[in-house]
Amino acid sequence: MTLLELSDVSVHYGRIQALSGISLTVQEGEIVTLIGANGAGKSTTMRAVSGLLPLSRGTITFDGQDISRLRADLRVVRGISQAPEGRGVFPGMTVLENLEMGCYSRKDRKGIREDFERVYELFPRLKERIGQQGGTLSGGEQQMVAIGRALMARPRLLLLDEPSMGLAPQFIRQIFRIITDINEQGTTVLLVEQNAQSALSRAHRGYVLESGGITKAGGGRELLADPAIKDAYLGVA
Ligand code: ATP
């Protein structure tokens, strides 16, 4: 089933056109990754899906319904939740308070308890640091809080923008393993990554963005084996 569909989507920042008529789909249960150079429009695509940027053209459909003009907070209620680039952890709040921000609009106390358990199972480190202030966590730990907070909304679609950015190698491996775990537990994932090798090897499908347009689409492993992609994004000819 198609969970998310972007159809001919354009986005402008003032007069600058950041996306020019892109179309893509995410099927329920998939990990789909967007790769592309700096400035290609990856974060813009994510912000258009989460509702932080208005479309200048095109439509976004989620679970069969047009959400193109729906407010960002109502998209969260529908099941779209984003762990933003740069993490966005509230520095003066504890780990627990940060996680609670992810589920403030939910009323199902039993479900919330289950999701806390799930987040602590995925990130045992957060359980150990539950009372620590966000601003004093390491970069990797802040990334865990950002992903955990997004999961606390119990999303059907999790948007991850550069989850490995700035992390030490052992954390990078861990974050990618956790993304696969989250997906295997039933959450659909749309992932933006500079780390194209790791992202494509874990994704069911991928899209290549160049200067605001999609230039290639295919299976994760298929794109990984593509000589032009190897050359441009994987650092090996
Ligand atoms: P990166 O990996 O560097 O974050 P990206 O693929 O995520 O790149 P975007 O951040 O989506 O790229 O940017 C796409 C284009 O839109 C770029 O040309 C960028 O300069 C421009 N852009 C992004 N944000 C703004 C803004 N707030 N105002 C004006 N232009 C912007």
Side-chain angles (χ1 to χ4, degrees), residues 109-121:
R109 286 167 62 180
K110 181 163 168 285
I112 292 172
R113 262 201 312 276
E114 286 168 9
D115 285 349
F116 269 114
E117 285 313 310
R118 176 184 177 209
V119 167
Y120 293 145
E121 238 169 70

Side-chain angles (χ1 to χ4, degrees), residues 51-165:
L52 300 176
L53 284 174
L55 310 187
S56 39
R57 201 177 74 197
T59 54
I60 300 180
T61 314
F62 182 70
D63 196 18
Q65 297 195 313
D66 187 344
I67 57 160
S68 311
R69 289 169 201 287
L70 194 66
R71 269 178 15 213
D73 56 329
L74 298 176
R75 296 189 200 195
V76 177
V77 174
R78 295 272 182 105
I80 300 176
S81 151
Q82 177 167 12
E85 184 181 7
R87 307 187 186 113
V89 167
F90 301 107
M93 288 186 178
T94 64
V95 167
L96 178 65
E97 288 162 349
N98 267 282
L99 293 175
E100 283 171 346
M101 292 300 286
C103 59
Y104 72 93
S105 63
R106 288 175 62 183
K107 304 273 181 291
D108 56 321
R109 286 167 62 180
K110 181 163 168 285
I112 292 172
R113 262 201 312 276
E114 286 168 9
D115 285 349
F116 269 114
E117 285 313 310
R118 176 184 177 209
V119 167
Y120 293 145
E121 238 169 70
L122 286 167
F123 303 109
R125 174 81 66 120
L126 293 187
K127 194 165 187 177
E128 292 163 18
R129 298 212 172 340
I130 198 165
Q132 190 171 325
Q133 299 237 317
T136 65
L137 297 168
S138 75
E141 290 163 353
Q142 291 194 25
Q143 190 56 263
M144 294 175 193
V145 172
I147 297 174
R149 191 175 59 198
L151 285 174
M152 288 308 298
R154 197 176 274 200
R156 293 180 65 192
L157 175 66
L158 177 63
L159 307 174
L160 295 173
D161 195 347
E162 304 274 7
S164 78
M165 190 170 58

